[in-house]
Amino acid sequence: MSLIHLQQISRRYQMGGETVHALRDVSLEIQRGEYVAIMGPSGSGKSTLMNLVGCLDTPTGGSYQLNGNHVSEMN
């Protein structure tokens, strides 16, 4: 069982009348004990992804399981 399992995660923000797609259909699986680096250019969604993985924000689409539990069902 993976420690972190993201399946087609999306995050959209409304800025005025415009929709900003910070993440589009990102899938990621991290096993227990793995070391992972998240890299990319400015504006690519790294901080948004880390906020979702750290449960500081919620996705607008997709599924996130942490240690086999659906994060959307947690308190």
Side-chain angles (χ1 to χ4, degrees):
M1 175 187 343
S2 55
L3 180 63
I4 294 172
H5 182 82
L6 306 175
Q7 188 170 13
Q8 294 186 313
I9 291 289
S10 297
R11 184 65 172 109
R12 294 180 298 278
Y13 297 98
Q14 283 298 126
M15 294 189 80
E18 186 177 331
T19 301
V20 176
H21 295 271
L23 295 174
R24 290 185 195 210
D25 298 327
V26 174
S27 295
L28 173 69
E29 192 167 344
I30 301 174
Q31 302 297 323
R32 189 174 309 279
E34 271 189 311
Y35 289 92
V36 176
I38 297 176
M39 300 168 47
S42 178
S44 64
K46 299 178 303 291
S47 294
T48 301
L49 179 61
M50 292 303 297
N51 286 334
L52 292 171
V53 169
C55 298
L56 299 174
D57 199 0
T58 56
T60 52
S63 166
Y64 173 22
Q65 290 183 32
L66 178 61
N67 202 27
N69 299 308
H70 288 275
V71 171
S72 61
E73 298 172 357
M74 295 179 175
N75 294 335

